[in-house]
Amino acid sequence: IYNRYTQVEGDIVFYTMKDNPTLWLNSELLKRDVDILSSINFNYLHVFPGVFEWVEGDPSPEVIKDFVKYANSKGVHTGDYSGTNPVFCNHYNDYRNTLCKPQWKIDDVAGNETGVFCFGDDEFVDYYIDTVVPNIKKYGFEVHCLDFLSISPCFNSHHKHPAGRESVYDQVKGLVKLLMAIRDTSPNMMTW
């Protein structure tokens, strides 16, 4: 795997080809990366921020499809990213997209919302799958990064899982359901 993230300049860390102003999803530079990776037998290139951070037209579907086609022609699988429990990643969420569903979030023992969504909540898991999987299929992605995973005892009374430590098992079950849905999009799919 080669992750086209973490470009450092001074005290600024650029995480993607998009948020580095000198690169800005430059298709030619991305294709040069693919050429180099292909020549040294790297199989996976992780490039794109995820669908939760996107808005219509940004990124351009044509640019993504062209790049995926080129990468595939060189034997390199490429894909996207998602923020798992928080759904959004602050350093990719240029449009400050939000998901106002407090009933899907993990509550601590005192009933306070923790700020992250619960994979033990079936509605949240289905929403996640219904958002990520069609996007993967649309572009032919074959790698998906799940970042920021946080599993902790959940006491949200809206969820069907048992409260407390037992909820962890339901969260793992929901995460596995998501991973299987992503895996089933392609025989070459890899998650990390």
Side-chain angles (χ1 to χ4, degrees):
I1 296 180
Y2 177 67
N3 183 359
R4 191 59 161 106
Y5 284 19
T6 318
Q7 302 284 324
V8 181
E9 182 177 308
D11 60 351
I12 299 172
V13 178
F14 298 106
Y15 287 92
T16 70
M17 290 290 286
K18 182 176 179 185
D19 69 3
N20 185 328
T22 62
L23 301 174
W24 197 256
L25 284 178
N26 182 314
S27 295
E28 294 312 307
L29 288 176
L30 283 170
K31 288 176 181 177
R32 281 181 30 200
D33 275 2
V34 167
D35 292 340
I36 292 167
L37 293 173
S38 177
S39 74
I40 57 175
N41 296 319
F42 272 76
N43 303 110
Y44 288 88
L45 171 60
H46 183 199
V47 177
F48 298 103
V51 65
F52 294 110
E53 283 79 29
W54 295 1
V55 297
E56 188 173 339
D58 187 14
S60 163
E62 295 76 26
V63 169
I64 295 173
K65 287 177 182 178
D66 177 64
F67 177 72
V68 170
K69 182 179 178 182
Y70 184 81
N72 288 344
S73 76
K74 299 292 184 173
V76 176
H77 311 282
T78 191
D80 66 343
Y81 172 101
S82 60
T84 318
N85 294 84
V87 177
F88 306 100
C89 174
N90 287 336
H91 47 262
Y92 305 146
N93 196 2
D94 295 331
Y95 298 99
R96 299 295 172 236
N97 296 338
T98 60
L99 177 60
C100 186
K101 294 285 188 176
Q103 69 274 21
W104 292 352
K105 293 192 175 181
I106 293 175
D107 286 352
D108 65 19
V109 68
N112 299 313
E113 186 183 294
T114 62
V116 296
F117 293 96
C118 180
F119 275 96
D121 183 78
D122 294 333
E123 286 184 38
F124 171 66
V125 173
D126 290 343
Y127 165 79
Y128 207 108
I129 290 169
D130 292 345
T131 303
V132 170
V133 168
N135 197 62
I136 289 170
K137 290 178 179 178
K138 177 179 179 178
Y139 294 108
F141 290 152
E142 293 181 312
V143 59
H144 188 85
C145 174
L146 292 155
D147 206 352
F148 302 114
L149 178 62
S150 174
I151 292 178
S152 61
C154 179
F155 296 85
N156 190 320
S157 61
H158 292 99
H159 302 176
K160 295 177 183 171
H161 61 65
R165 290 182 62 178
E166 295 298 313
S167 70
V168 169
Y169 296 103
D170 287 87
Q171 291 176 59
V172 171
K173 181 180 173 185
L175 181 61
V176 169
K177 181 179 176 182
L178 169 64
L179 289 169
M180 291 175 67
I182 292 172
R183 178 204 63 193
D184 291 344
T185 60
S186 167
N188 297 313
M189 176 53 77
M190 181 175 57
T191 57
W192 67 289

